[in-house]
């Protein structure tokens, strides 16, 4: 069975407050698996199950290191790889936030990066966390890239960016 509670604890430890677990993240967000297991008091098998079964592929575990793939709010900048995203990416949000975004562009707010979805459906789900009335904005990534906006890969379905100016949104 998928362990929602452990996934939430892992998100807290690996994205937001590693110091509360005596963890240190490197510049790409990695930390030793052994340290996380000790901090959370769980077995490697249980942790591996969450990494594998997580429907949003939030985590990555390679050999003896683990990290969150996106969502960080820790103060030190987590370095991600730039890449070429699909021509359209989507961002779902409340109708009221969408109004500001169409003026100011997309900003990371409390996280390190703006989060974008590869499908409209996924953006609708993300937006529905923000209110009853939502709006899905489409990012014209070729135009944004031509103007110097970098897109960074989170996982197969989430892309990250710093700021996306309003002129690349519709
Ligand atoms: C909004 C979840 C006003 C933005 C999801 C969003 C995602 C602005 C909110 C991931 C703005 C930030 C991230 C501007 C952006 N003016 N509002 N200029 N620019 N905003 O939760 O993208 O379940 O930090 O529209 O699935 O909703 O945690 O970001 O509403 O992938 O794995 O500021 O978190 O993944 O909210 O979600 P969030 P998000 P997990």
């Amino acid at each position: 069975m998928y362990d929602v509670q452990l996934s939430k604890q892992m998100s807290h430890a690996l994205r937001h407050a590693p110091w509360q677990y005596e963890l240190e993240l490197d510049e790409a967000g990695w930390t030793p698996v052994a340290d996380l297991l000790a901090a959370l008091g769980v077995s490697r098998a249980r942790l591996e199950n969450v990494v594998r079964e997580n429907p949003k592929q939030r985590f990555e575990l390679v050999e003896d290191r683990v990290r969150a793939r996106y969502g960080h709010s820790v103060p030190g900048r987590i370095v991600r790889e730039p890449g070429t995203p699909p021509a359209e990416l989507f961002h779902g949000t409340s109708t009221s936030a969408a109004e500001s975004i169409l003026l100011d562009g997309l900003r990371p707010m409390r996280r390190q990066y703006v989060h974008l979805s590869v499908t409209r459906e996924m953006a609708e789900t993300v937006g529905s966390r923000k209110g009853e009335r939502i709006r899905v904005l489409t990012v014209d990534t070729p135009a944004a890239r031509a103007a110097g906006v970098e897109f960074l890969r989170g996982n197969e379905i989430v892309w990250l960016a710093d700021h996306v100016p309003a002129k690349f949104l519709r």
Side-chain angles (χ1 to χ4, degrees):
M1 202 190 63
Y2 181 62
D3 196 336
V4 177
Q5 206 192 326
L6 179 56
S7 169
K8 288 190 183 213
Q9 286 182 319
M10 288 167 65
S11 287
H12 190 238
L14 298 174
R15 290 172 170 179
H16 306 302
W19 51 88
Q20 286 184 24
Y21 303 80
E22 291 179 44
L23 297 176
E24 206 162 319
L25 308 189
D26 74 8
E27 73 286 350
W30 295 104
T31 200
V33 181
D35 293 359
L36 182 63
L37 297 179
L40 299 180
V42 298
S43 66
R44 177 153 178 145
R46 236 179 106 189
L47 192 92
E48 280 178 356
N49 180 57
V50 169
V51 172
R52 192 177 52 244
E53 303 294 330
N54 196 293
K56 289 169 113 178
Q57 303 170 48
R58 290 181 176 96
F59 311 106
E60 191 172 5
L61 193 158
V62 179
E63 293 170 9
D64 55 355
R65 301 184 306 165
V66 61
R67 69 173 172 180
R69 293 184 194 256
Y70 61 90
H72 298 89
S73 71
V74 286
R77 184 71 144 159
I78 300 295
V79 179
R80 302 289 328 196
E81 264 173 63
T84 307
E88 287 187 333
L89 288 172
F90 304 93
H91 181 88
T93 192
S94 63
T95 46
S96 59
E99 276 181 43
S100 320
I101 294 168
L102 289 170
L103 295 173
D104 285 354
L106 275 168
R107 300 191 179 281
M109 311 304 274
R110 281 183 217 157
R111 304 199 200 235
Q112 294 199 355
Y113 297 102
V114 166
H115 287 63
L116 303 164
S117 305
V118 297
T119 66
R120 176 175 291 279
E121 293 67 38
M122 191 184 155
E124 280 167 4
T125 309
V126 173
S128 63
R129 294 155 49 247
K130 303 293 177 177
E132 292 266 291
R133 296 179 54 234
I134 67 159
R135 184 149 173 204
V136 175
L137 303 170
T138 306
V139 183
D140 178 349
T141 71
R145 292 181 76 228
V149 176
E150 266 196 337
F151 293 89
L152 312 149
R153 188 186 285 281
N155 60 23
E156 292 301 309
I157 52 182
V158 175
W159 283 81
L160 308 171
D162 281 318
H163 169 63
V164 183
K167 62 180 173 223
F168 305 118
L169 304 172
R170 67 183 148 72

